[in-house]
Amino acid sequence: MSAKTADRIATAVIVAVSGLIVILLAGLLGYILFRGLPNISFHFLTSGPQTIKAGGGIGPQLFNSLFLLVLTLIITIPVGLGAGIYMSQYAKPGRVTDSIRLIVEVLSSFPSIVVGLFGLLVIVNIFGLGFSLFSGALALTVFNLPLMVRITEQAMNGVAREQKEASLALGLSRWKTITSVMLPIAMPAIVTGTILAAGRVFGEAAALLFTAGMSSPRLDFTNWNPLSPFSPLNPFRPAETLAVHIWKINSEGLAPDATQIAAGASAVLIIMVLIFNFSARWFGRYLHRKFTATK
Amino acid sequence: MEQPAVNDQPRVHQRTTRTIAKPHVMEEWVGKVFTTLCVTVLVVTIAAIVYFVASHGLATFITDGVSLSGLLSGLKWDPEGDIPLYGALPFIFGSFSTSLLAAIIAAPLGVCAAVFMTQIMPGLGKRVLQPVIELLAGIPSVVFGFVGLSIVVPFLRSVFPGQGIGIAAGAIVLSFMILPTITTIATDALSNLQRGLKEGSFALGATRWQTIYRIVIPTTLPSLLTGVVLGMSRAFGEALAVQMVIGNAPHIPHSLFESASTLTSVITLDMGNTITGSTHNNALWSLALILLAMTFIFVFIVRFLERRNNR
Amino acid sequence: MRKALFIVVALMLTIGLAACGSNKDNNGGNANSGTENTGNASTGGNANAGGNANAGGETVSGQVLAAGSTALQPLVEQVSKKFMEDAKYSGVTVQVQGGGSGTGLTQVQGGQVNIGNSDIFAEEKFVDADADKAKELVDHQVAVVAMAAVVNKSVTVDNLTKQQLVDIFTGKVKNWKEVGGQDEKITIINRPSSSGTRKTFEKYALGTKSEDVAGSIQEDASGTVKKYVTDTPGAIGYLALSYLDDTVKTVKYEGVEPKEENIVTGDYPIWAYEHMYTKGEPDAATKAFLDYMVSDEVQKSDVTELGYIPVGNMKVKRDAAGAIVK
């Protein structure tokens, strides 16, 4: 067999495999959407779930998922940015830095069920935060933080050395250089990474079963006082997210239309992740244009 | 952020001669303290988890008198029996075989996709394949379990002998979940390859396949393996999706299509039903400790591979 | 300003996480809640619903947190919704969480929740060294759940004796033709060994422990069990009556149909109580909810609608050891 033939065959195989991946994923998405979309309606997206009757919705769950995501990001973004900056700018290469990096890796590949139980016994019980959105956000932080650190570190390392040195040469302090020169340049990569990581938070269930809880109290969507226990904005109320809801109705659902609700909720979840993906791409490109065109 | 600096302006002017460096130093100090604190949070978090899992997991051996070797090599898991038995080998076996098989399925696919994106059609790869794979990373594990239960299990049942559940079903579901990890890392490695190497190879008259096969893959092998190991470690820790399709019988199966268990699946099934502090519950924490130890081992393998790569 | 906030958040986390290393025994209301917004303490801390002293007053108010059995969760959740809609109880908030019977019992015993939902008697969970802990808990039986053996629709058998079930679930009988059915391999869909549902089934249907037969499937969740029984040819499993419908085939036990009239007389023995445990006597709000739970209003509607049997209908009673008490 001549080298040319081998080349052609190999190329064909690789193209075929890549095509296969696209087809498989398209099939997967198609399956989920095909089964789920007919169940989605305005009523489904806005009304509360039903235990035994048909016609339940996922309104509160959808809201909880988004709110929990926001809470998690409020905690992880500052801490993750700080730790990432430390790792890329302040840490001296050596044993300590190496072991911190090791810790980050370990933290990110932690089994989510173990984090959930850790959350139950430490955050829920010992801290006394109870089953609440805040407990859930803290548990999710454990997953999200390492991702944020890695994203920030990589983005900061990607900033051209000349730019950093020029800024330092102009007499700016190191911190000022980081916040005013390097961070804006690294921002598009950080934002894209953050949004993609957010998609994973959105779909997490195992860690939340034991922390944010499996049911929501009655919510009064006209009450926006974050201190009231019925307010949707209260971070110390228990909350069932969309992924947990899917898990729950698949396992113990008694409503006659449980399968349809699970299918519909899965489709909604996938659509949300799709939106995250596209917005990450679009926003990253937008920021990139903005930061590079004006300068 | 600028607010205090502006307010300080007049004062600083008055004392220019004496303390010109002061806001500068303050700023540096704040930055350093803040970032150090963030890293501390990170370190404390992991230390707390490790301490916590270890304290529960080791109680099995210390207070409940289960022997470590018995746990690691015992074949029978019967914690509610008249004589409780804690043999976790079937779970360890299940976890290893499922994640290994998942890696075997996903690695060639991932590497092919990476080669496609970097060497063959970068334009199309970036526009179609990469978004598709990133999307795969975002699909929640609950949905994967649901799809596995409705598609993979019935499919395997109709094609192979057995009930469709088992290591094969678990590995197929997992391979989808770890494909993005493997592909992303492989793509990074391939696109970071020095251009000279590849161009030199082309200049010598090598075909594209020869270049990929003889030059590109061997040079990036450690990075590719890193991706595979990270993927395996993610597969090792996955719980909900696997639990739904693997069958969960506490035995070492005779075939890929017979009910088996993994460490995570048994933890998921039993943890909520047991009383905190009971031997059964502590034994589950011991399994979590094994998972944790495995995560460390995977990370060490990755770092070892990376070091070889840097050399 | 933002910087300061970041530092506060970071500090809070650090202190909080550091604390968990040292004060493991520090439960419930602890030093840490001071770091959080104290205005939220009533929602954050679960155990402080008892703070409402006006037990005898006209209106009860407070927080009730129930956690535990996922099988019981739909019922409690349904009732809690109705309870909170009732104007009489407008001051009470009820939250229902899952987590499993073991979690529920541990949490109520530790004082983190007001009610621990369980599928089985606390005495069966707290054994050996923990046996004393069960004594602190007060049992409130709120419903009776009956279970039935279910098979895939391909199976022609419609009655199984106790011995046949034992043979199947211990792996002695591997083909349906050995128990009078067609020639098809039996696939067992069991529950994990810690499951309360499995304990009930073993105790009252089999009278012995079942084996984790090689090749059997184990799932904890009724929905998943039902899906496997529906989809797998030759499958047998067991489900609570609430989950039965025409996708699976229900088999008779010793010739007795799993119907309410047979269960209340004790002729059909595979049933158990659903328990809601409190630690000591419940406080006003919790008591109001538990009373509501066993009121006719609930027992005659929601309990029966969800496929449970009202406790009051039972003509026989059982104790923790499983002995029938008249």
Side-chain angles (χ1 to χ4, degrees):
Chain A
M1 192 164 57
S2 76
K4 278 249 164 72
T5 330
D7 183 46
R8 272 197 210 109
I9 295 174
T11 309
V13 168
I14 291 170
V15 172
V17 168
S18 309
L20 184 74
I21 294 176
V22 175
I23 291 171
L24 277 178
L25 189 93
L28 193 67
L29 277 186
Y31 176 80
I32 296 167
L33 293 180
F34 177 76
R35 283 194 46 168
L37 282 182
N39 304 310
I40 300 177
S41 61
F42 181 72
H43 172 80
F44 182 69
L45 291 178
T46 51
S47 60
Q50 292 286 346
T51 318
I52 37 171
K53 285 193 284 286
I58 52 161
Q61 280 75 19
L62 195 57
F63 177 84
N64 288 341
S65 287
L66 290 169
F67 189 41
L68 185 62
L69 179 65
V70 171
L71 275 180
T72 311
L73 290 183
I74 288 176
I75 302 172
T76 50
I77 289 180
V79 181
L81 274 181
I85 290 170
Y86 181 88
M87 296 299 289
S88 77
Q89 304 299 321
Y90 288 99
K92 294 178 197 70
R95 218 165 258 275
V96 180
T97 317
D98 269 2
S99 38
I100 293 179
R101 214 161 269 145
L102 177 84
I103 285 170
V104 173
E105 300 265 317
V106 171
L107 206 56
S108 69
S109 40
F110 227 62
S112 54
I113 185 88
V114 175
V115 175
L117 292 160
F118 169 80
L120 172 69
L121 295 174
V122 174
I123 303 170
V124 175
N125 289 355
I126 298 180
F127 286 14
L129 290 174
F131 290 100
S132 68
L133 278 163
F134 196 68
S135 304
L138 286 181
L140 287 179
T141 302
V142 175
F143 295 112
N144 205 281
L145 197 55
L147 287 174
M148 279 305 301
V149 173
R150 204 186 297 165
I151 291 162
T152 314
E153 194 187 343
Q154 274 170 4
M156 293 297 278
N157 285 342
V159 176
R161 233 177 87 185
E162 289 81 1
Q163 250 156 331
K164 181 182 167 191
E165 279 168 3
S167 162
L168 289 173
L170 285 171
L172 264 70
S173 74
R174 204 151 144 206
W175 182 240
K176 193 82 186 157
T177 306
I178 291 169
T179 49
S180 322
V181 177
M182 301 180 70
L183 212 50
I185 301 173
M187 205 43 102
I190 295 178
V191 168
T192 315
T194 309
I195 300 181
L196 287 178
R200 232 192 117 182
V201 167
F202 206 75
E204 177 57 46
L208 292 178
L209 293 176
F210 299 101
T211 49
M214 285 173 73
S215 73
S216 296
R218 59 186 155 168
L219 293 182
D220 178 3
F221 276 94
T222 52
N223 180 348
W224 295 102
N225 170 15
L227 298 181
S228 151
F230 306 122
S231 162
L233 284 184
N234 184 344
F236 295 97
R237 66 178 173 89
E240 181 189 37
T241 67
L242 205 48
V244 173
H245 190 63
I246 294 176
W247 190 85
K248 186 171 114 182
I249 47 185
N250 265 334
S251 21
E252 308 284 344
L254 275 174
D257 56 352
T259 351
Q260 285 92 316
I261 292 174
S266 304
V268 171
L269 203 53
I270 294 289
I271 293 170
M272 293 305 295
V273 174
L274 271 171
I275 294 174
F276 276 125
N277 264 278
F278 285 123
S279 61
R281 280 170 188 287
W282 176 82
F283 201 57
R285 230 175 300 153
Y286 168 78
L287 283 179
H288 186 73
R289 255 206 318 272
K290 201 174 164 215
F291 284 127
T292 47
T294 51
K295 272 169 196 164
Chain B
M1 228 189 287
E2 311 295 343
Q3 217 68 25
V6 173
N7 290 344
D8 279 351
Q9 216 72 358
R11 263 197 301 136
V12 173
H13 267 288
Q14 284 163 6
R15 294 180 285 168
T16 336
T17 41
R18 270 196 299 130
T19 55
I20 193 156
K22 203 162 181 213
H24 202 104
V25 170
M26 259 307 275
E27 205 173 71
E28 280 293 59
W29 187 81
V30 166
K32 194 145 193 179
V33 166
F34 168 61
T35 54
T36 315
L37 262 178
C38 291
V39 170
T40 319
V41 170
L42 200 67
V43 176
V44 169
T45 311
I46 187 113
I49 296 183
V50 171
Y51 166 80
F52 189 78
V53 174
S55 69
H56 275 78
L58 292 177
T60 322
F61 312 118
I62 299 163
T63 49
D64 300 324
V66 177
S67 81
L68 176 63
S69 60
L71 186 85
L72 291 178
S73 63
L75 284 170
K76 195 151 168 55
W77 174 265
D78 188 11
E80 307 277 320
D82 298 326
I83 308 155
L85 290 168
Y86 300 96
L89 193 61
F91 310 135
I92 299 171
F93 173 84
S95 280
F96 267 103
S97 46
T98 324
S99 48
L100 200 63
L101 192 61
I104 290 173
I105 300 172
L109 294 178
V111 173
C112 272
V115 169
F116 181 84
M117 273 192 274
T118 53
Q119 316 288 328
I120 297 184
M121 295 181 198
L124 196 64
K126 268 235 146 57
R127 268 208 317 278
V128 179
L129 200 53
Q130 201 183 358
V132 160
I133 283 170
E134 272 171 17
L135 191 62
L136 202 54
I139 298 184
S141 56
V142 202
V143 176
F144 267 114
F146 177 57
V147 171
L149 197 57
S150 333
I151 299 181
V152 179
V153 172
F155 171 76
L156 290 176
R157 181 160 51 221
S158 60
V159 177
F160 296 99
Q163 302 305 338
I165 39 100
I167 289 177
I172 290 174
V173 171
L174 282 177
S175 63
F176 270 92
M177 302 181 77
I178 65 174
L179 189 59
T181 315
I182 296 180
T183 314
T184 316
I185 293 175
T187 312
D188 283 351
L190 292 181
S191 50
N192 287 341
L193 192 70
Q194 284 176 343
R195 280 182 68 142
L197 265 180
K198 222 172 89 186
E199 280 164 6
S201 168
F202 283 138
L204 286 171
T207 62
R208 183 161 60 191
W209 172 241
Q210 279 170 333
T211 310
I212 293 170
Y213 177 65
R214 297 270 168 80
I215 311 283
V216 176
I217 302 278
T219 2
T220 51
L221 195 60
S223 306
L224 299 182
L225 284 177
T226 305
V228 175
V229 174
L230 275 181
M232 266 187 78
S233 102
R234 173 144 189 231
F236 215 82
E238 176 50 46
L240 291 185
V242 180
Q243 184 257 106
M244 285 173 89
V245 298
I246 199 164
N248 306 313
H251 298 281
I252 294 183
H254 298 96
S255 83
L256 292 179
F257 308 102
E258 195 182 297
S259 181
S261 298
T262 65
L263 291 166
T264 47
S265 77
V266 70
I267 295 176
T268 324
L269 282 180
D270 284 337
M271 195 60 104
N273 288 327
T274 51
I275 296 282
T276 311
S278 65
T279 314
H280 190 172
N281 190 271
N282 284 340
L284 294 173
W285 282 104
S286 303
L287 299 186
L289 192 61
I290 297 176
L291 271 177
L292 193 63
M294 284 312 304
T295 314
F296 271 102
I297 292 173
F298 278 125
V299 170
F300 274 117
I301 298 174
V302 167
R303 298 184 57 77
F304 172 75
L305 290 169
E306 271 171 358
R307 213 166 297 151
R308 273 192 47 182
N309 194 25
N310 291 340
R311 221 187 282 157
Chain C
M1 185 53 215
R2 211 167 62 194
K3 230 183 285 178
L5 185 73
F6 292 177
I7 292 169
V8 168
V9 170
L11 263 172
M12 211 172 86
L13 275 168
T14 321
I15 295 165
L17 283 165
C20 72
S22 50
N23 57 353
K24 265 194 71 193
D25 308 357
N26 191 354
N27 275 337
N30 62 48
N32 252 305
S33 48
T35 336
E36 314 306 336
N37 191 340
T38 30
N40 281 319
S42 60
T43 4
N46 322 316
N48 48 11
N52 300 292
N54 58 341
E58 285 285 288
T59 50
V60 267
S61 65
Q63 282 253 329
V64 180
L65 179 62
S69 161
T70 43
L72 183 54
Q73 197 186 353
L75 174 66
V76 184
E77 218 171 301
Q78 172 73 16
V79 175
S80 75
K81 255 187 230 163
K82 237 171 105 173
F83 178 77
M84 289 190 287
E85 274 159 23
D86 197 318
K88 261 186 293 180
Y89 307 111
S90 57
V92 186
T93 319
V94 184
Q95 294 169 11
V96 189
Q97 302 297 343
S101 301
T103 310
L105 289 172
T106 317
Q107 298 275 89
V108 72
Q109 215 283 327
Q112 289 106 3
V113 301
N114 307 96
I115 301 174
N117 298 334
S118 172
D119 299 333
I120 60 175
F121 281 96
E123 287 86 349
E124 295 177 76
K125 277 279 176 196
F126 289 104
V127 285
D128 304 332
D130 295 330
D132 286 350
K133 291 187 180 164
K135 291 192 187 117
E136 298 173 46
L137 298 179
V138 181
D139 189 6
H140 305 267
Q141 296 165 351
V142 295
V144 166
V145 61
M147 279 159 224
V150 290
V151 292
N152 183 269
K153 287 197 136 177
S154 69
V155 176
T156 52
V157 172
D158 55 11
N159 178 37
L160 286 168
T161 64
K162 183 174 180 175
Q163 191 54 43
Q164 283 171 330
L165 276 174
V166 171
D167 289 346
I168 290 171
F169 277 94
T170 51
K172 238 183 257 164
V173 165
K174 290 186 169 17
N175 196 304
W176 281 111
K177 70 180 176 203
E178 292 170 65
V179 287
Q182 79 284 30
D183 182 10
E184 190 164 35
K185 196 177 166 289
I186 298 176
T187 302
I188 303 166
I189 321 284
N190 210 335
R191 311 260 176 158
S193 54
S194 56
S195 154
T197 311
R198 171 161 164 178
K199 288 224 169 76
T200 305
F201 189 74
E202 285 175 343
K203 203 165 178 179
Y204 303 117
L206 307 180
T208 171
K209 289 236 156 85
S210 61
E211 293 286 319
D212 297 319
V213 182
S216 68
I217 298 174
Q218 292 191 358
E219 286 296 342
D220 193 27
S222 303
T224 325
V225 168
K226 186 165 134 191
K227 182 143 178 60
Y228 271 116
V229 175
T230 312
D231 292 350
T232 316
I236 180 166
Y238 42 91
L239 286 170
L241 295 193
S242 359
Y243 290 91
L244 300 184
D245 59 23
D246 47 13
T247 57
V248 291
K249 183 174 165 186
T250 312
V251 278
K252 284 183 257 182
Y253 176 77
E254 297 276 6
V256 185
E257 256 187 274
K259 282 222 170 96
E260 184 171 342
E261 59 259 37
N262 298 331
I263 297 159
V264 292
T265 55
D267 290 335
Y268 184 85
I270 319 174
W271 55 269
Y273 295 108
E274 292 287 14
H275 310 263
M276 291 173 80
Y277 279 99
T278 51
K279 189 175 184 179
E281 284 306 318
D283 60 66
T286 311
K287 188 165 186 318
F289 181 59
L290 287 170
D291 287 346
Y292 186 74
M293 196 81 200
V294 293
S295 68
D296 274 358
E297 193 186 344
V298 167
Q299 294 279 326
K300 290 229 160 68
S301 61
D302 303 87
V303 168
T304 28
E305 270 169 40
L306 277 159
Y308 295 96
I309 297 158
V311 187
N313 291 11
M314 294 303 290
K315 299 197 177 89
V316 284
K317 278 189 166 48
R318 268 189 190 138
D319 61 17
I324 299 277
V325 204
K326 287 283 168 181

